[in-house]
Amino acid sequence: MAALLCDIQPGDEVILPSFTFVSTANAFVLRGAKIVFVDSIADHPNMDESLIEELITPKTKAIVVVHYAGVPCEMDGILSIATKHNLWVIEDAAQGIDSFYKEKALGSIGHLSCFSFHETKNIQSGEGGLLGINDTDLIRRAEILWEKGTDRAAFFRGEVNKYGWVDIGSSFLPSEVTAAFLWAQLEELKSIQSRRLSIWDSYFQLFDKGSTTTEILSETYQKLLSQASGKIDITWQRIENKGNAHMFYLLFQNETERSEFSTILKNEGVLSVFHYQSLHKSEYSKKHFPDQYLRELPNSDRYSDCLLRLPIFYELPEVSML
Ligand SMILES: *Cc1c(COP(=O)(O)O)cnc(C)c1O
């Protein structure tokens, strides 16, 4: 819907990070856009805003930011680049619920924003999402696209006496059952978030080698590490990257150490997962965006190879039991 509302046409260019889920790109590729990929910053998977401007061409229409792990991108800089070049800013806030950038909720900063309620997110309804519209000029058309290209919403408000086909659209709306399932969780957002934040804190203490108050947790961690054949060097997250506790990840020196550690956890009955193969290096890019396929985006590749996500969900037992 965001791509439709920005009226993305074949040949238009859209800038987005290579280290993201395919859906970020697919929305625009479905409208015929060419995707131009940005690398991540060295110490966080979020896009490096200093690399955006050099990628802008006369065909560029939009910048799509991804607030990875609910940690905000540098929106001030990104908005000023967008304003200067007259570009849309769309926030992929799929992981961004209940997280803030300078006291503004993620998803309320760009022209449009997309939240996900996929089962892997903090608040979920199995599948589904939410479109945030921060540009009032877009509301009317959004409603029509959402209602399968009809003016049914206006009809329900009594503004027209019958409704019909006025634009393109699809069945973007969730069922009542799905919405009810979601609503119950939105009502509990505070307690869900406080549980997740406390799990995140426990992980942070567990992996914070500098911490002296968490000797017992560190011992568990040392035990896990000593099971690894080589010495595994982990970069743990900084406290500033707590975000909305969507995710807790570890960063290894290389892919081998990551898989070694993942196997140790698996043997302890703990599922850890990695994700996002750099999109610019994908089969699809190779075929459709060969110039992008040939680019070097080293930070994105490093996150693809070295990042490992630890389990984080409401019912997770105390982390000290790890
Ligand atoms: C989960 C996720 C998506 C996809 O969300 P859907 O609800 O499956 O469309 C897109 N982008 C990011 C960054 C995500 O984490």
Side-chain angles (χ1 to χ4, degrees):
M1 281 186 74
L4 287 167
L5 288 168
C6 296
D7 202 26
I8 299 297
Q9 297 293 320
D12 287 350
E13 293 178 8
V14 174
I15 296 173
L16 51 89
S18 180
F19 189 75
T20 183
F21 191 55
V22 287
S23 299
T24 318
N26 271 334
F28 302 91
V29 167
L30 283 166
R31 310 316 312 156
K34 178 191 170 182
I35 307 299
V36 176
F37 295 103
V38 197
D39 204 1
S40 300
I41 42 185
D43 63 358
H44 194 270
N46 275 348
M47 63 161 51
D48 185 342
E49 71 281 358
S50 72
L51 302 174
I52 295 175
E53 204 154 18
E54 66 201 48
L55 300 172
I56 295 173
T57 75
K59 290 181 176 169
T60 308
K61 289 284 147 53
I63 301 169
V64 186
V65 305
V66 178
H67 303 298
Y68 185 80
V71 176
C73 292
E74 251 331 304
M75 294 309 291
D76 283 347
I78 292 165
L79 289 177
S80 80
I81 295 166
T83 307
K84 182 171 156 198
H85 296 274
N86 197 23
L87 305 174
W88 296 103
V89 174
I90 298 142
E91 297 177 72
D92 179 337
Q95 305 177 3
I97 196 165
D98 197 42
S99 195
F100 299 83
Y101 172 76
K102 299 185 177 174
E103 290 174 11
K104 277 190 182 156
L106 299 191
S108 70
I109 305 163
H111 299 97
L112 292 158
S113 61
C114 308
F115 291 87
S116 171
F117 300 122
H118 182 258
E119 63 178 27
T120 52
K121 313 303 185 199
N122 293 26
I123 304 292
Q124 58 105 353
S125 55
E127 293 279 0
L130 178 148
L131 179 70
I133 303 170
N134 301 316
D135 179 337
T136 49
D137 291 346
L138 298 174
I139 293 173
R140 185 92 191 164
R141 184 157 189 243
E143 200 176 59
I144 289 167
L145 300 178
W146 191 68
E147 284 276 20
K148 306 159 182 76
T150 74
D151 54 355
R152 195 169 77 133
F155 172 68
F156 282 157
R157 285 194 298 268
E159 293 163 17
V160 291
N161 59 11
K162 55 184 181 323
Y163 76 88
W165 187 18
V166 295
D167 200 341
I168 57 171
S170 189
S171 196
F172 291 112
L173 55 169
S175 73
E176 292 288 317
V177 175
T178 302
F181 187 92
L182 180 67
W183 185 249
Q185 287 177 62
L186 286 170
E187 286 180 323
E188 297 298 327
L189 181 64
K190 263 211 168 102
S191 71
I192 293 170
Q193 283 300 94
S194 96
R195 176 79 189 117
R196 292 187 77 102
L197 290 163
S198 114
I199 296 169
W200 201 99
D201 284 338
S202 305
Y203 273 137
F204 186 77
Q205 286 171 13
L206 175 64
F207 289 100
D208 185 1
K209 289 175 194 161
S211 169
T212 50
T213 55
T214 55
E215 266 165 37
I216 300 161
L217 293 178
S218 291
E219 232 169 69
T220 314
Y221 163 62
Q222 290 304 334
K223 197 186 109 199
L224 287 177
L225 275 191
S226 67
Q227 290 176 43
S229 56
K231 190 183 171 303
I232 292 183
D233 199 357
I234 299 168
T235 309
W236 56 95
Q237 296 186 72
R238 288 176 294 136
I239 196 78
E240 309 90 89
N241 291 340
K242 188 167 169 178
N244 57 357
H246 174 63
M247 196 189 297
F248 193 93
Y249 62 79
L250 300 171
L251 209 53
F252 293 83
Q253 294 300 307
N254 54 55
E255 209 172 345
T256 314
E257 291 186 359
R258 175 177 73 181
S259 70
E260 204 176 325
F261 195 74
S262 181
T263 306
I264 292 167
L265 290 178
K266 194 176 167 200
N267 293 339
E268 299 278 332
V270 177
L271 179 70
S272 57
V273 292
F274 56 85
H275 70 171
Y276 302 158
Q277 297 305 294
S278 290
L279 293 182
H280 75 287
K281 286 264 184 73
S282 62
E283 261 323 290
Y284 190 88
S285 283
K286 189 177 183 179
K287 200 164 165 200
H288 297 276
F289 313 126
D291 61 326
Q292 298 297 306
Y293 181 78
L294 293 172
R295 289 178 57 213
E296 291 296 330
L297 305 178
N299 290 329
S300 176
D301 292 347
R302 190 164 60 90
Y303 293 117
S304 296
D305 292 343
C306 305
L307 185 145
L308 189 69
R309 304 171 60 179
L310 300 184
I312 184 163
F313 52 93
Y314 190 84
E315 301 88 345
L316 188 71
E318 283 303 317
V319 179
S320 56
M321 291 168 68
L322 224 169

